[in-house]
Amino acid sequence: MKADDTNPSCVPRWTLGLLATTMLTAVSAPALAQTGSATVGLEEVVVTAQKRSENLQDVPISIQALGTERLDQLQVKDVNDYVKFMPSVTAQTLAPGFTTFYMRGVASGENNNHSGPLPSVGIYLDEQPVTTITGPLDIHVYDIARVEVLAGPQGTLYGASSQAGTIRIITNKPSLSGFSASYDVEGNTVAHGDPGYSAEGYVNMPLGDRMAIRLVAWGEHDGGYIDNVASTLTYPTGPVTINNAPYVEKNYNEVDITGARAALKIDLDDNWTITPSLMGQRTEADGNFSADRYNKGKYAIARYRPERSDDKWFQAAATIEGTVSNIDLTYAGAYMRRWIDTESDYSDYSYFYDTLFGYGAYTTDNAGNPIDTTQYIQGKDYFTKQSHELRLATPSENRFKVVAGLFYQRQTHNIQQRYKIDNLADATEVPGWDDTLWLTKQLRIDRDYAAFADATYDVSDHLSITGGIRFFRYKNSLAGFFGFGTGYSSGTGVGACFGPPVVEGGPCTNVDKVTKDTGHTYRINAQWKFDDDRMVYATVSTGFRPGGINRRGTLPPYKADFLKNYEFGWKTSWFGNTLRWNGAAFIEKWNDFQFSYLGANGLTEIRNAGKAKMKGVETDINWLVADGLTLTGGGAYTDAQLDEDYIPDPSAPPAAFRGDRLPVTPKWKGNLTARYEWPIGEMDAHVQSSVVYTGPGYPDLTIADRAVTGKTPQYVTVDMTAGVQKGSWRVEAYVKNLFDEYGQNDRYVQCNTAVCTRVYVIPIRPRTVGLRFGQSF
């Protein structure tokens, strides 16, 4: 039985039973934990969230970390896999490589538009930020040391776009301790779809006494499960009827991923180490990952043009670490390039605008005859990103310790978006671009400069006080062309140009703007340690997101927005470190937040408007119940609301009211995993089950949008694994989404909800069954 997606308040009975049984097991477990071997305990988790290596239990911030072993146990391969086990994080994924992260309910109207706001969650690969405008790099998770999730503003140490939090993906580094290698191969099949497979491997090899290299490679094929079904579409103007017969295909959203990483560690002497690395990946995705749930079926859609994405990137990085006197010095620098080629169907826009406004009359052939007015988008996005950080750290054992540094980042986005209609009249085209009704040809540059310091003073063995500050300067620009040719619109596009092209390929220039500002963020923290196993902390911190450019000439730039966080948290270990219980309660205030929405002619507009307040509790637990039996889990309650009416247009009624929930983030999210390991002769065996609950949420903020798109219903998924290991080899079977729950990651329409009313659903991946074999050397 599944939850009824038309009644989100209906929770499946089997879900309540399963959760209740697991909870009762956990409640009855303390006696086992107390009578078991207290010397075994839970493994220490080391993190670098505060730019120095520390035991997670000593770090006075809300942080979750999944290490190499845990990532492997949970069958984590991509962002969607690890986000479901991070209660404070929500992710909207349109397709592989196009994910937007949200933390603690900090979401307004972001839509991944190339001219939209920067993200509110920073994503780091090792020491380098890898967030781009359309979403961060979708890094395949293999040979990863850990994924760290830092909830709440991280503005002092991580700066721009870490307004709501930071996610750090830390790779395994080359080791001088000796040779090691491993490989894994897998076959799987997805319900309602096709089979898939993957192969992954690494080699770590010392090259003498002071040098080691680590080589990693992976390849993956994911079977599709969305059908492009036969359909016809009639445009009223003409009328013209089309069909999608050339593109009908079952399970057409398949994905192929290939990538590699090479890292070198060189110990120059006993004090200095250089770690250069090179990493690259290509993700080729066909089809569409949405379903026309209410017209075509749960895993079906009708598309009239080819759809695909080809996402390629590489990053070269280097870290230099050393000691001068007793001061640790670190330089971390990186240069990244990313190319994304996309094709997508835009027929809904064409159909609804023709049906409501007769737009088909303006899109004819050279003879003035009606044509198939279906629009489709061909995009070419080229990114570069470089970052440099130089910092120093005094010894962590000092009573007074400091981390301080300088940071610089520059990212560029060369944007090309062609909205095409085949056989379009020459006079209607954008000059120089065949069959192109609309063209975006722009260059966006975002620059960040910062100086930061974070100092901790141990007042006593029990009390520590930390203060941090970051001074920043940003300068962001947008230049080039966007819009129609004069044959379609005399006052916009080419008709609004004021100069020759400044971006190669553009017909002329109608936007050339710069915005810049300075400011600071801060953090104040007090930590009280009752003993070596238990502590509490209180924090006041702020985070920011830089301002940017509205490409519509009549609108001013939007300003930076700031988030203020009040947090009380705890880190505790019990029963001889067989039980860890951590958590945090928070209240956050978000003033003049950047809100992006589709304005006139479907153009994204960003304004600073409105206030919001987020409050909630997040917690996680790690319990070694008995030898071989562990329970791990986490949960979050997030109440994110407008703190005043949202009024984007002073001449119109409010678009949303005080007390309305912010979009995307569910009010409740949680997970619970039970794992049992035991010997069978000369083999080690294990079984594991994970239950993940995600509550309902709205994909949009405004009343008008919600009336059309509705709400994503709550859902519960269950994953199970079982396997054995003997010596160097291992084999494991798994099932993800055991009961084939129809969860919804997002709901959307193709254009403004006042025009487009066909709602598409992005379902979570259906039940996937797999078998994995691996060896380690």
Side-chain angles (χ1 to χ4, degrees):
M1 177 179 178
K2 299 183 177 66
D4 179 4
D5 70 2
T6 64
N7 180 14
S9 64
C10 176
V11 179
R13 293 183 180 179
W14 66 263
T15 297
L16 295 176
L18 184 56
L19 287 171
T21 301
T22 310
M23 288 295 190
L24 288 173
T25 303
V27 170
S28 64
L32 292 174
Q34 290 174 314
T35 58
S37 176
T39 60
V40 177
L42 295 165
E43 184 179 357
E44 178 180 300
V45 179
V46 176
V47 297
T48 52
Q50 297 191 119
K51 306 282 188 176
R52 61 170 86 235
S53 294
E54 301 170 287
N55 184 341
L56 181 144
Q57 294 302 105
D58 295 330
V59 181
I61 62 175
S62 179
I63 176 173
Q64 280 188 281
L66 299 177
T68 303
E69 184 177 20
R70 185 92 174 107
L71 291 167
D72 186 63
Q73 291 174 357
L74 294 172
Q75 299 290 332
V76 171
K77 293 184 178 181
D78 57 26
V79 296
N80 292 312
D81 285 338
Y82 65 73
V83 162
K84 67 183 183 181
F85 295 104
M86 302 293 191
S88 60
V89 185
T90 305
Q92 285 184 325
T93 301
L94 292 174
F98 299 90
T99 298
T100 305
F101 292 92
Y102 304 94
M103 296 179 73
R104 289 186 172 178
V106 180
S108 51
E110 290 82 2
N111 58 5
N112 281 347
N113 186 277
H114 48 71
S115 299
L118 287 164
S120 61
V121 174
I123 311 297
Y124 275 69
L125 174 60
D126 291 322
E127 295 279 354
Q128 294 80 24
V130 292
T131 310
T132 61
I133 304 303
T134 58
L137 303 181
D138 193 354
I139 299 165
H140 181 77
V141 178
Y142 178 74
D143 194 44
I144 298 298
R146 64 189 176 277
V147 177
E148 297 179 0
V149 172
L150 288 57
Q154 306 298 323
T156 52
L157 290 179
Y158 294 96
S161 291
S162 286
Q163 178 187 55
T166 302
I167 299 175
R168 306 179 69 230
I169 301 170
I170 313 297
T171 60
N172 282 316
K173 304 301 187 294
S175 173
L176 292 165
S177 61
F179 174 86
S180 66
S182 181
Y183 73 87
D184 290 275
V185 292
E186 177 187 315
N188 58 64
T189 183
V190 60
H192 321 287
D194 287 338
Y197 51 84
S198 67
E200 308 158 315
Y202 85 87
V203 174
N204 182 91
M205 185 183 303
L207 304 174
D209 295 334
R210 292 188 176 274
M211 186 181 302
I213 190 170
R214 194 178 192 95
L215 304 174
V216 189
W218 57 90
E220 178 182 349
H221 173 80
D222 293 335
Y225 50 88
I226 300 291
D227 299 335
N228 191 19
V229 298
S231 187
T232 61
L233 185 65
T234 299
Y235 295 106
T237 301
V240 175
T241 299
I242 63 170
N243 66 69
N244 65 344
Y247 312 111
V248 171
E249 184 180 351
K250 288 183 66 65
N251 309 322
Y252 86 134
N253 63 322
E254 60 184 12
V255 182
D256 288 288
I257 302 171
T258 54
R261 183 174 79 245
L264 189 67
K265 180 179 181 180
I266 307 171
D267 287 344
L268 300 178
D269 55 32
D270 293 339
N271 293 325
W272 288 90
T273 298
I274 300 176
T275 310
S277 64
L278 184 64
M279 183 174 181
Q281 182 175 290
R282 182 175 188 177
T283 302
E284 298 175 276
D286 292 327
N288 195 293
F289 290 77
S290 309
D292 189 355
R293 167 76 170 89
Y294 304 102
N295 297 295
K296 302 300 181 184
K298 293 170 63 175
Y299 298 104
I301 197 170
R303 282 295 190 254
Y304 300 87
R305 297 293 310 186
E307 295 195 294
R308 66 174 188 89
S309 66
D310 186 359
D311 183 2
K312 303 183 291 289
W313 58 267
F314 80 84
Q315 183 187 66
T319 302
I320 303 173
E321 300 169 282
T323 303
V324 176
S325 183
N326 66 342
I327 305 296
D328 293 333
L329 294 178
T330 301
Y331 164 78
Y335 179 75
M336 183 261 288
R337 288 188 178 185
R338 185 182 188 186
W339 301 262
I340 304 177
D341 290 340
T342 57
E343 289 189 76
S344 47
D345 179 293
Y346 205 43
S347 57
D348 273 19
Y349 180 96
S350 305
Y351 172 76
F352 282 105
Y353 269 95
D354 190 30
T355 300
L356 296 177
F357 307 112
Y359 271 29
Y362 306 101
T363 52
T364 64
D365 62 16
N366 284 328
N369 299 315
I371 58 174
D372 172 3
T373 192
T374 301
Q375 287 192 45
Y376 57 100
I377 308 169
Q378 291 181 343
K380 291 183 179 294
D381 295 272
Y382 170 53
F383 303 87
T384 69
K385 190 182 187 84
Q386 60 172 303
S387 63
H388 306 273
E389 182 171 293
L390 178 64
R391 67 175 183 270
L392 60 85
T394 60
S396 57
E397 62 270 16
N398 286 3
R399 190 169 183 178
F400 179 73
K401 39 192 169 286
V402 176
V403 174
L406 302 172
F407 176 80
Y408 168 70
Q409 175 180 260
R410 183 180 190 270
Q411 54 181 326
T412 70
H413 182 186
N414 195 306
I415 309 157
Q416 179 179 305
Q417 300 284 326
R418 298 177 67 182
Y419 290 70
K420 299 181 66 175
I421 300 175
D422 289 343
N423 302 313
L424 186 63
D426 296 345
T428 310
E429 298 170 345
V430 175
W433 294 83
D434 292 342
D435 292 336
T436 301
L437 180 68
W438 172 285
L439 174 70
T440 299
K441 192 67 176 171
Q442 298 173 338
L443 178 63
R444 174 173 177 168
I445 304 177
D446 295 81
R447 312 163 185 85
D448 297 290
Y449 313 81
F452 61 91
D454 198 80
T456 299
Y457 179 64
D458 297 331
V459 180
S460 68
D461 291 341
H462 297 285
L463 177 63
S464 299
I465 305 295
T466 298
I469 193 165
R470 187 182 189 97
F471 298 97
F472 65 82
R473 176 178 181 266
Y474 68 81
K475 180 181 179 182
N476 299 331
S477 62
L478 184 68
F481 172 84
F482 69 99
F484 304 106
T486 53
Y488 191 83
S489 173
S490 60
T492 63
V494 174
C497 281
F498 50 75
V502 294
V503 176
E504 184 179 358
C508 50
T509 297
N510 59 15
V511 59
D512 193 350
K513 297 181 180 180
V514 177
T515 185
K516 56 185 178 181
D517 202 357
T518 60
H520 70 277
T521 60
Y522 62 86
R523 176 174 77 114
I524 302 171
N525 177 277
Q527 177 185 8
W528 180 268
K529 290 187 176 181
F530 297 97
D531 51 39
D532 290 340
D533 295 325
R534 286 165 283 273
M535 69 93 156
V536 295
Y537 68 88
T539 296
V540 178
S541 59
T542 59
F544 81 102
R545 185 167 50 161
I549 300 299
N550 269 300
R551 57 179 173 171
R552 190 187 295 277
T554 56
L555 297 176
Y558 52 95
K559 302 178 296 182
D561 60 0
F562 292 82
L563 183 72
K564 192 169 188 177
N565 173 57
Y566 303 89
E567 182 176 324
F568 172 79
W570 61 93
K571 301 281 181 75
T572 65
S573 298
W574 306 85
F575 310 126
N577 194 34
T578 59
L579 171 67
R580 288 186 193 139
W581 178 43
N582 300 338
F586 61 88
I587 296 176
E588 297 184 342
K589 295 182 178 181
W590 194 18
N591 293 336
D592 290 329
F593 60 77
Q594 299 168 11
F595 177 77
S596 62
Y597 62 98
L598 293 179
N601 301 120
L603 279 180
T604 297
E605 298 182 8
I606 305 98
R607 300 176 186 267
N608 293 89
K611 297 180 181 180
K613 180 184 289 186
M614 290 69 66
K615 57 185 177 181
V617 179
E618 53 206 18
T619 185
D620 63 88
I621 190 170
N622 242 309
W623 198 335
L624 179 58
V625 181
D627 288 345
L629 176 62
T630 57
L631 290 176
T632 57
Y637 166 78
T638 307
D639 184 13
Q641 299 181 358
L642 284 176
D643 208 26
E644 68 177 18
D645 293 351
Y646 173 61
I647 308 175
D649 183 355
S651 64
F657 293 96
R658 180 180 182 182
D660 286 350
R661 281 180 58 187
L662 295 185
V664 182
T665 301
K667 186 170 284 190
W668 294 95
K669 186 182 177 189
N671 65 85
L672 199 58
T673 299
R675 182 179 179 88
Y676 184 60
E677 301 174 344
W678 76 100
I680 301 178
E682 297 181 351
M683 298 186 297
D684 295 319
H686 68 267
V687 292
Q688 176 179 287
S689 178
S690 298
V691 182
V692 180
Y693 170 78
T694 303
Y698 291 102
D700 300 288
L701 175 63
T702 67
I703 299 167
D705 288 342
R706 290 180 177 182
V708 176
T709 58
K711 179 188 289 190
T712 56
Q714 64 185 3
Y715 62 92
V716 178
T717 59
V718 177
D719 299 345
M720 299 199 71
T721 62
V724 294
Q725 180 173 341
K726 180 181 179 181
S728 66
W729 63 264
R730 57 194 174 273
V731 62
E732 185 173 53
Y734 70 85
V735 183
K736 294 183 180 180
N737 193 3
L738 174 65
F739 297 101
D740 202 20
E741 186 80 347
Y742 192 77
Q744 298 181 13
N745 182 270
D746 196 8
R747 299 165 69 95
Y748 71 93
V749 296
Q750 268 202 345
C751 65
N752 194 309
T753 54
V755 178
C756 292
T757 56
R758 184 178 288 119
V759 177
Y760 294 96
V761 168
I762 300 180
I764 64 171
R765 191 171 181 84
R767 178 176 55 243
T768 304
V769 181
L771 183 65
R772 189 179 183 190
F773 175 84
Q775 277 187 290
S776 298
F777 307 94

